[in-house]
Every structure is written in structure tokens, then in C-alpha cells.
Amino acid sequence: AQKITQTQPGMFVQEKEAVTLDCTYDTSDPSYGLFWYKQPSSGEMIFLIYQGSYDQQNATEGRYSLNFQKARKSANLVISASQLGDSAMYFCAMREGNRDDKIIFGKGTRLHILP
Amino acid sequence: ETGVTQTPRHLVMGMTNKKSLKCEQHLGHNAMYWYKQSAKKPLELMFVYNFKEQTENNSVPSRFSPECPNSSHLFLHLHTLQPEDSALYLCASSQEIGDGYTFGSGTRLTVV
């Protein structure tokens, strides 16, 4: 069974609009971490934001925020005021259990920002 | 630059060739990883090294052979690959296993 599900293979959004990229996860472990990464066409993976399962507040980093809905096992990434440079693949990822566990990635969502 | 450097950026090799991918990080991280990214598939973890010791081999065929001579360098030796091995190979490092990763830019491998 997939641990990380990203249901949107591709999205087209007008520049300056807000974007929500969906991510749901599956784990029975009460302790876990959730990550979002951006992969531009250059190939490198850029860490964007992190949410711990026990964090009370939704994580925010500049224009990025994580809409963490624990009961729904949902960790959507919200990008406010999108820019052309936001066009990229976006990966949701999860670390289960303690810090010794590896990180599992979803299939990704390709985001296209239109001028 | 992210702090994790991968060379070469692009590689085309025949099925009988032997080549190596190199990954280098000077972030002081203790864990290093090789991932394979194929089109339309999730990132696939291949190998994990923690303090130079291999801690995970994710059922990777023996035509892929990793080497970690020290905590800053990680190699992936390739021999007798198949066309389906064509993919983007990403190296990553983290302070400890399970921490957020820093990725390199990847090596785009094409097997002909």
C-alpha cells in the first residue's frame, strides 16, 4: 500500500494565485514527520517545509505553509502568491517512527505557473 | 549549489560499459543516500550509508555497487546496465538518518 499519495500528477495555475498541492499519508505510528520538496528542471531536490506529528501549529516558511490535518492524514502544501519560478515538481515525503527511519516519497505533482 | 555535488550531470553508457557516479558533501552530515528517480514513479531508495557503513540495500540488483570511502564521499559503480536503468540518480545526505535531506542535482543516466 502506498504510504504517501499525491493525487494531482499535474496542475496549471495562473501567476499570483495561491496553490494547494495535495498529500495524504498512511501510518499507524503516532510519531512521524512530513516534508515537502521542490524539484526544478535542473534536477536538484530543494527542501521546503517540515511538519512534525506532534506540532500544534501548521508549519510556515515564507510563502509556503503546510495545512496539516492530522485526523484526515492530510498534509497539503499551500503556496501563496505563486511565481513563475515556482514551476517544478513537488514531492511530499514522510518519515515514520523515530529518527532512524528513512524518508518515503510520493510520486510528485508537476506544477506549471502560467504568466 | 546545495552543498551536495554530483558528477557527472549527464552520462550515456552502453550496456557493456563500466562507469561510476560520484557524490560529495561537505556539510558534516553522517548519512548519505542513493535514490533512483524514473519517470512516473516515486523516488526509489537504493542504498543508505550511516557513518560510512551500509545500513540498507533496498533489493538493488548487483549491477549497481555502492562505495562509501569516507563520510563525505559516496560512489555508485555501474556495470552491465540495462536500458530500464536509465533514470535520474540522486544523492542525498542528512545529519542523521531520518533528518531532512539535502539533495544533489542528480546524474541523468541513459543506457543505450
Side-chain angles (χ1 to χ4, degrees):
Chain A
Q2 278 195 38
K3 294 276 191 177
I4 296 285
T5 303
Q6 294 180 253
T7 57
Q8 306 151 308
M11 287 185 71
F12 289 83
V13 172
Q14 208 66 41
E15 189 181 9
K16 299 181 185 175
E17 289 185 354
V19 182
T20 298
L21 304 180
D22 295 341
C23 174
T24 57
Y25 58 91
D26 182 26
T27 181
S28 57
D29 200 308
S31 175
Y32 53 90
L34 297 158
F35 304 79
W36 275 94
Y37 287 86
K38 172 184 178 182
Q39 187 183 38
S41 56
S42 58
E44 67 186 289
M45 294 279 275
I46 303 167
F47 167 72
L48 295 179
I49 198 166
Y50 169 79
Q51 179 87 42
S53 60
Y54 294 118
D55 293 344
Q56 296 295 318
Q57 308 257 352
N58 284 349
T60 60
E61 288 286 346
R63 293 186 300 114
Y64 303 108
S65 61
L66 199 150
N67 185 0
F68 182 44
Q69 298 191 37
K70 199 168 182 177
R72 295 184 179 182
K73 295 188 175 178
S74 165
N76 297 342
L77 177 70
V78 180
I79 307 174
S80 62
S82 59
Q83 302 170 356
L84 296 177
D86 294 332
S87 295
M89 279 289 282
Y90 288 81
F91 291 91
C92 180
M94 176 176 67
R95 181 199 67 231
E96 286 185 289
N98 61 33
R99 290 158 56 99
D100 290 338
D101 290 339
K102 61 184 180 288
I103 296 177
I104 307 161
F105 290 82
K107 291 187 177 182
T109 294
R110 179 158 308 274
L111 177 63
H112 302 269
I113 305 298
L114 304 172
Chain B
E1 288 297 328
T2 64
V4 179
T5 304
Q6 287 187 244
T7 53
R9 293 294 305 273
H10 301 273
L11 178 62
V12 179
M13 59 186 289
M15 289 190 282
T16 58
N17 291 159
K18 288 184 181 181
K19 296 286 184 185
S20 295
L21 309 185
K22 180 182 176 182
C23 177
E24 185 174 354
Q25 59 92 8
H26 295 289
L27 300 170
H29 289 173
N30 298 314
M32 295 186 78
Y33 313 80
W34 278 117
Y35 277 87
K36 176 183 178 183
Q37 187 179 6
S38 306
K40 300 181 182 178
K41 281 188 176 182
L43 276 173
E44 299 171 80
L45 179 65
M46 299 176 73
F47 301 104
V48 181
Y49 277 82
N50 194 30
F51 292 95
K52 302 188 298 177
E53 299 297 320
Q54 187 180 126
T55 59
E56 183 149 348
N57 175 339
N58 211 25
S59 302
V60 180
S62 59
R63 58 186 184 269
F64 295 92
S65 174
E67 179 190 1
C68 189
N70 54 61
S71 56
S72 298
H73 294 85
L74 185 64
F75 295 89
L76 188 62
H77 303 300
L78 316 170
H79 64 98
T80 58
L81 294 192
Q82 305 297 312
E84 60 265 29
D85 297 322
S86 298
L88 180 69
Y89 289 84
L90 286 161
C91 174
S93 69
S94 63
Q95 185 63 50
E96 306 291 344
I97 289 182
D99 286 342
Y101 295 179
T102 301
F103 283 87
S105 298
T107 295
R108 175 71 62 184
L109 174 67
T110 304
V111 181
V112 297

